[in-house]
Amino acid sequence: DTFWRSRGLGDAFRAGLITGLVRGLSADVTLRLGALAATYAIEQVGTMNHHYTLPEFLERYRAAFGDAPEISDLVEGARVRM
């Protein structure tokens, strides 16, 4: 129980969840964003050691879930920042 709480997993999941909700994405896509963000957190030791860029996140999203037209606004945001 302490292991999971010490990872920042819930915070990372909420960040992905809020991103999807704010952008009006479907429940499926929103939950996938949360799950993927949480994956980065659980792969590292400590609560603030995980990091990724938007292009890295989107590439990993596509590898795990396939392309989703719903995330096109995130893709455009990644292109602008590159």
Side-chain angles (χ1 to χ4, degrees):
D1 188 37
T2 303
F3 173 81
W4 300 111
R5 283 189 280 146
S6 67
R7 298 282 187 227
L9 178 65
D11 293 337
F13 180 81
R14 280 187 290 279
L17 185 71
I18 290 168
T19 297
L21 291 172
V22 167
R23 294 178 181 274
L25 300 176
S26 70
D28 288 351
V29 173
T30 296
L31 292 170
R32 288 175 186 156
L33 292 175
L36 183 56
T39 299
Y40 282 96
I42 202 168
E43 290 174 339
Q44 302 298 318
V45 175
T47 59
M48 297 182 66
N49 294 330
H50 61 282
H51 65 280
Y52 49 83
T53 65
L54 185 53
E56 289 169 340
F57 187 89
L58 294 172
E59 181 179 330
R60 194 163 176 182
Y61 181 96
R62 286 190 178 116
F65 306 114
D67 198 16
E70 298 90 350
I71 63 169
S72 62
D73 64 325
L74 294 174
V75 173
E76 287 304 314
R79 287 187 186 134
V80 169
R81 290 182 184 100
M82 294 175 93

